[in-house]
């Protein structure tokens, strides 16, 4: 009978020991679970941050490219204006010569960037002074919306004169030259436009 008591006590001790061991393992398992959740959350935050940075990089590159193209278009218009100012009066008022001018790109950068170029020659009024000079200059027609002629070049195509047979404007004393440069970015057409006044006896800008 004494042996049975020992066995029962040993069994109780064994059961209590196992229970304590089980309770001792529970915190460790809980700690491991929390660590995995933290790693998953940190990984998700990292992926989101990287995706945001990649999207921001794409937007930055796109904006930089758009700015570079706009600068090229601006430089193209300035170069065309400068070239027109340096022409003789006969060449400035000659549609065929202006078409020849548009045949050559203003720079190597705009050859594949510019989608359309237009050079238009408009009438302009001769400024009147007081007292009037002698001899008094004959005023040109009042500036209007219709140009004497326009020369249009699309891409690398051949420049087209409109109207095809413009009337002579050699008798004019003052004209307005307007240069339009267009390019396409993100399926949208953008435009830069510059103009200058050119007189038969000199050059005036605005």
């Amino acid at each position: 009978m004494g042996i049975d008591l020992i066995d029962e006590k040993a069994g109780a001790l064994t059961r209590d020991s196992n229970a304590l061991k089980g309770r001792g393992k529970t915190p460790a398992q809980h700690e491991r679970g929390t660590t995995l959740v933290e790693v998953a959350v940190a990984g998700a935050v990292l992926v989101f941050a990287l995706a945001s940075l990649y999207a921001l990089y794409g937007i930055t590159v796109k904006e930089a490219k758009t700015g570079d193209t706009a600068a090229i278009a601006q430089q193209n218009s300035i170069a065309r204006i400068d070239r027109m100012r340096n022409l003789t009066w006969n060449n400035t008022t000659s549609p065929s010569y202006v078409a020849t001018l548009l045949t050559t790109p203003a720079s190597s950068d705009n050859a594949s960037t510019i989608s359309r170029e237009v050079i238009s020659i408009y009438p302009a009024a001769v400024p009147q002074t007081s007292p009037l000079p002698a001899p008094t200059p004959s005023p040109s027609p009042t500036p209007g919306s219709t140009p004497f002629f326009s020369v249009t070049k699309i891409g690398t195509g051949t420049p087209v004169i409109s109207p095809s047979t413009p009337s002579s404007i050699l008798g004019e004393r003052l004209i307005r030259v307007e240069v339009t440069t267009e390019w396409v970015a993100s399926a949208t057409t953008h435009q830069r436009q510059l103009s200058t006044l050119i007189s038969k006896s000199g050059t005036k800008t605005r």
Side-chain angles (χ1 to χ4, degrees), residues 8 24 49 55 142 151 202:
E8 289 176 0
T142 303
V151 181

Side-chain angles (χ1 to χ4, degrees):
M1 197 165 182
I3 295 173
D4 292 339
L5 288 173
I6 292 172
D7 290 343
E8 289 176 0
K9 289 180 180 178
L13 289 171
T14 303
R15 286 194 298 273
D16 291 342
S17 176
N18 290 337
L20 289 172
K21 289 180 180 179
R23 285 195 297 272
K25 289 181 180 179
T26 302
Q29 292 172 348
H30 177 68
E31 289 174 6
R32 285 198 297 271
T34 303
T35 302
L36 290 175
V37 170
E38 289 175 349
V39 170
V41 171
V45 171
L46 180 61
V47 169
F48 178 77
L50 290 175
S52 300
L53 287 174
Y54 182 78
L56 180 61
Y57 174 76
I59 293 173
T60 303
V61 170
K62 181 179 178 182
E63 291 297 328
K65 186 176 181 180
T66 301
D68 290 342
T69 307
I72 291 174
Q74 181 75 7
Q75 292 170 0
N76 181 82
S77 296
I78 293 173
R80 295 298 192 196
I81 285 286
D82 287 343
R83 183 68 187 276
M84 291 293 292
R85 288 173 179 166
N86 291 325
L87 297 179
T88 64
W89 181 256
N90 287 354
N91 289 338
T92 303
T93 56
S94 169
S96 59
Y97 195 91
V98 175
T100 302
L101 176 67
L102 273 182
T103 302
T104 306
S107 70
S108 58
D109 293 334
N110 66 8
S112 59
T113 302
I114 306 305
S115 59
R116 182 171 176 264
E117 288 184 85
V118 182
I119 296 180
S120 299
I121 307 299
Y122 287 85
V126 173
Q128 298 297 308
T129 59
S130 182
L132 293 176
T136 302
S138 300
S140 297
T142 303
S145 59
T146 304
F148 286 124
F149 67 86
S150 295
V151 181
T152 304
K153 177 183 155 185
I154 298 177
T156 57
T158 302
V160 176
I161 300 171
S162 177
S164 56
T165 55
S167 58
S168 174
I169 59 174
L170 283 175
E172 298 296 320
R173 293 179 176 273
L174 185 70
I175 58 174
R176 179 168 65 91
V177 178
E178 185 177 273
V179 175
T180 303
T181 303
E182 293 182 358
W183 73 98
V184 178
S186 301
T188 303
T189 300
H190 303 270
Q191 187 181 94
R192 285 288 184 274
Q193 195 171 75
L194 295 176
S195 64
T196 185
L197 292 176
I198 299 179
S199 68
K200 195 170 186 178
S201 57
T203 302
K204 295 182 181 182
T205 61
R206 72 173 179 88

